[in-house]
Amino acid sequence: MNRLLTFLLYRLLTFLLLLGNWVIFSGVIDAFHIALGVICCGIVTWLSADFLFQDENKGLGARAIEAIRFVGYGIWLVWQIVVANVHVLKLALLPNERDLRPRLVRFRTSLKSEFARYVFANSITLTPGTVTLSVEGDEFVVHAISAKVAEELPGDMEKRISAVFDQG
């Protein structure tokens, strides 16, 4: 019975997280859009709830701590996106062959869970000047627009994600 309760609790939590995002990002709160959100979030929860909470042995307290850490990471990531935008703007407006040296960077990550690697890959791609091209197991291939950007991979971002998911 305890296993079933945990299973249902994590599905409900996944559904509520998705629905909360739906309401925030849709920007429209009326019966039609809420109903559509409930249907879509229900389908996505049914299809992919195992992805978000792979380790169902963690308690709700540990999940709450992860959520708080993730919010802090999100704020840090937004700042990194701003900084990267400024760097790309400088490359575009003040071209210097020495600075603009696109390259592929291969590295292995120490992140253990698939979800942590997923967050890492998407964080890299959200940051201007980098695009995650492939992730196979723990190996990443990333396109970096300049040597400065390439040198920073995997860097602080990987450490912060590891801290969010308590993998350090």
Side-chain angles (χ1 to χ4, degrees):
M1 183 64 181
N2 192 19
R3 179 97 172 114
L4 178 63
L5 184 61
T6 302
F7 176 83
L8 293 174
L9 189 60
Y10 278 119
R11 295 321 178 266
L12 177 63
L13 186 57
T14 300
F15 174 78
L16 292 175
L17 288 170
L18 290 171
L19 187 60
N21 278 302
W22 176 279
V23 170
I24 290 168
F25 290 123
S26 73
V28 181
I29 300 177
D30 61 18
F32 174 76
H33 287 92
I34 296 295
L36 191 60
V38 167
I39 292 167
C40 290
C41 293
I43 292 169
V44 171
T45 298
W46 177 59
L47 292 173
S48 64
D50 291 340
F51 182 66
L52 185 58
F53 299 114
Q54 290 175 341
D55 182 8
E56 292 181 357
N57 293 326
K58 284 187 179 180
L60 287 179
R63 293 291 182 196
I65 291 169
E66 277 184 1
I68 292 167
R69 289 178 183 163
F70 194 78
V71 169
Y73 172 74
I75 293 167
W76 176 84
L77 180 61
V78 168
W79 178 247
Q80 295 306 304
I81 290 170
V82 170
V83 170
N85 269 300
V86 171
H87 177 68
V88 171
L89 182 64
K90 283 180 185 177
L91 290 173
L93 295 178
L94 307 168
N96 183 342
E97 286 185 34
R98 187 174 42 107
D99 295 333
L100 188 63
R101 294 190 181 215
R103 62 193 64 196
L104 293 180
V105 180
R106 292 179 188 274
F107 61 88
R108 294 201 179 278
T109 182
S110 62
L111 298 172
K112 295 170 187 71
S113 75
E114 283 185 39
F115 188 70
R117 289 192 295 261
Y118 165 80
V119 169
F120 188 34
N122 280 293
S123 296
I124 289 170
T125 299
L126 281 171
T127 308
T130 54
V131 177
T132 303
L133 299 175
S134 76
V135 179
E136 292 184 24
D138 65 347
E139 185 177 53
F140 278 63
V141 177
V142 175
H143 178 271
I145 197 168
S146 68
K148 177 184 182 270
V149 172
E151 290 167 2
E152 294 173 356
L153 290 168
D156 200 29
M157 186 179 288
E158 179 185 38
K159 291 175 192 160
R160 288 178 181 267
I161 292 171
S162 181
V164 168
F165 297 105
D166 204 21
Q167 297 183 1

